[in-house]
């Protein structure tokens, strides 16, 4: 019995030096993530409650929150739809130039955000290649909230595609063939067989795209126009506070962004866990 107990204890120790590894992991996480975040809260606590509330509820700050979080959520939702379609095409079809398109998906990862912003502003400006075609239709992209949305869609697309793509590649096509052979339509097969399989990956891609969009700065400021109450994003407003040496005000805005982002991401993670539990219960 003692021999079996030792074997079981060894079996649980998958990683050599487990305690040292966990200790280093927690130390590194605290040094890189927790300590900087705690410094933001500590700096904010130097403000009085009235000053904090006045900073958070000012009309200009609230407008920047609405634009930042609203555009981020909408961009992530659009990326889920079209990024999912793109991932489906790349996995399920063969066509000339497929590898080139697959490589272009990663372009927002490698491209400096400032370069992306300048490029988008040049394309969608009223005299740009695309802007001059849209202006006669009454659609103005550059220097409007719509331009912010376009930039956030651009930088968030790869997160959805690269999250959904490997799940589609590993999906069992036999289940789809079985559903079709039993009389299910292509739409029913997608809704009842394929979509439940990729749903956790879709939610993960949505969360990653949203998280990236809320903190995006470089690719947005060039196309947004940065007009207060219209196209001013929250990260830019924080930079403005820092330039005015209002460090407490900047950290206060950062704290609110952090809390809202954390709540939204926690909700999405909860949906992921619920989806996985349903899938596990369905298999059993």
């Amino acid at each position: 019995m003692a021999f079996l107990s030792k074997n079981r204890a060894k079996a649980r120790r998958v990683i050599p030096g487990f305690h040292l590894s966990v200790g280093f992991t927690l130390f590194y996480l605290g040094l890189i993530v927790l300590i900087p975040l705690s410094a933001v809260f500590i700096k904010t606590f130097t403000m009085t409650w009235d000053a904090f509330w006045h900073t958070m509820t000012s009309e200009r700050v609230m407008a920047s929150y609405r634009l930042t979080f609203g555009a981020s959520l909408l961009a992530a939702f659009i990326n889920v739809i079209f990024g999912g379609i793109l991932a489906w095409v790349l996995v399920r079809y063969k066509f000339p130039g497929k590898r080139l398109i697959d490589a272009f998906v990663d372009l927002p990862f490698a491209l400096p955000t400032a370069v992306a912003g300048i490029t988008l502003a040049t394309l969608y400006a009223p005299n740009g290649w695309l802007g001059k075609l849209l202006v006669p239709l009454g659609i103005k992209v550059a220097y409007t909230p719509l331009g912010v949305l376009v930039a956030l869609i651009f930088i968030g697309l790869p997160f959805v595609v690269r999250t959904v793509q490997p799940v589609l590649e590993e999906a069992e096509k036999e289940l789809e063939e079985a559903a079709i052979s039993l009389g299910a339509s292509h739409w029913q097969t997608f809704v009842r067989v394929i979509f439940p399989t990729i749903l956790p990956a879709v939610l993960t891609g949505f969360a990653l795209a949203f998280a990236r969009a809320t903190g995006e700065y470089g690719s947005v400021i060039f196309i947004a126009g940065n007009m207060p109450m219209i196209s001013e994003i929250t990260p830019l407003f924080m930079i403005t506070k820092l330039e005015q040496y209002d460090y407490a005000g900047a950290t206060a805005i950062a704290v609110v962004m952090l809390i809202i982002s954390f709540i939204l991401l926690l909700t999405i993670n909860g949906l992921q866990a619920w989806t996985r539990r349903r899938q596990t219960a369905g298999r059993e």
Side-chain angles (χ1 to χ4, degrees):
M1 293 295 292
F3 178 73
L4 291 176
S5 299
K6 289 181 180 180
N7 284 342
R8 288 172 183 169
K10 290 180 179 179
R12 286 195 294 268
R13 296 175 185 175
V14 180
I15 303 176
F18 174 75
H19 297 291
L20 179 62
S21 301
V22 171
F24 176 78
T25 301
L26 294 177
F27 169 76
Y28 190 77
L29 180 65
L31 186 65
I32 301 300
V33 179
L34 298 181
I35 292 177
L37 292 182
S38 63
V40 171
F41 282 92
I42 292 171
K43 185 64 178 179
T44 304
F45 289 154
T46 61
M47 301 178 67
T48 63
W49 172 253
D50 291 337
F52 176 80
W53 184 253
H54 177 73
T55 301
M56 291 303 96
T57 57
S58 67
E59 192 174 0
R60 186 174 171 184
V61 174
M62 295 300 293
S64 72
Y65 282 146
R66 285 192 294 268
L67 176 61
T68 299
F69 288 104
S72 298
L73 285 171
L74 183 57
F77 181 74
I78 293 173
N79 278 329
V80 162
I81 297 174
F82 293 99
I85 294 173
L86 180 55
W88 176 272
V89 170
L90 291 174
V91 171
R92 295 302 179 92
Y93 300 103
K94 294 182 179 179
F95 53 89
K98 176 181 175 179
R99 291 189 177 182
L100 184 62
I101 294 176
D102 192 34
F104 278 149
V105 170
D106 293 326
L107 187 61
F109 284 148
L111 194 67
T113 55
V115 175
I118 294 172
T119 303
L120 292 173
T122 303
L123 286 174
Y124 287 101
N127 59 346
W129 290 354
L130 298 178
K132 64 182 179 183
L133 300 177
L134 296 174
V135 169
L137 301 175
I139 303 174
K140 186 178 180 181
V141 178
Y143 318 127
T144 66
L146 182 57
V148 176
L149 179 63
V150 169
L152 297 182
I153 291 173
F154 175 80
I155 57 98
L157 179 65
F159 291 94
V160 177
V161 176
R162 293 309 184 215
T163 305
V164 176
Q165 190 175 0
V167 178
L168 282 174
E169 290 174 347
E170 296 176 2
E172 299 179 7
K173 294 184 180 180
E174 292 79 5
L175 295 177
E176 303 172 36
E177 296 171 356
I180 293 174
S181 66
L182 291 173
S185 65
H186 290 288
W187 176 250
Q188 290 174 326
T189 302
F190 175 78
V191 172
R192 298 186 179 182
V193 178
I194 301 173
F195 186 71
T197 303
I198 66 173
L199 181 57
V202 169
L203 291 175
T204 301
F206 179 90
L208 292 174
F210 169 76
R212 171 67 190 274
T214 54
E216 183 59 23
Y217 177 77
S219 62
V220 176
I221 57 172
F222 292 100
I223 194 173
N226 310 318
M227 291 179 285
M229 307 297 299
I230 298 176
S231 60
E232 185 179 45
I233 59 174
T234 305
L236 175 64
F237 194 75
M238 292 166 56
I239 295 296
T240 303
K241 287 281 188 181
L242 291 174
E243 291 176 347
Q244 297 171 352
Y245 302 101
D246 185 6
Y247 300 117
T251 55
I253 298 171
V255 164
V256 175
M257 282 196 70
L258 179 63
I259 293 173
I260 296 175
S261 299
F262 180 77
I263 292 173
L264 290 173
L265 292 176
L266 187 64
T267 303
I268 294 170
N269 289 334
L271 289 174
Q272 287 177 299
W274 175 74
T275 303
R276 291 193 182 98
R277 284 197 300 268
R278 287 195 60 186
Q279 289 179 341
T280 303
R283 293 192 187 101
E284 296 175 353

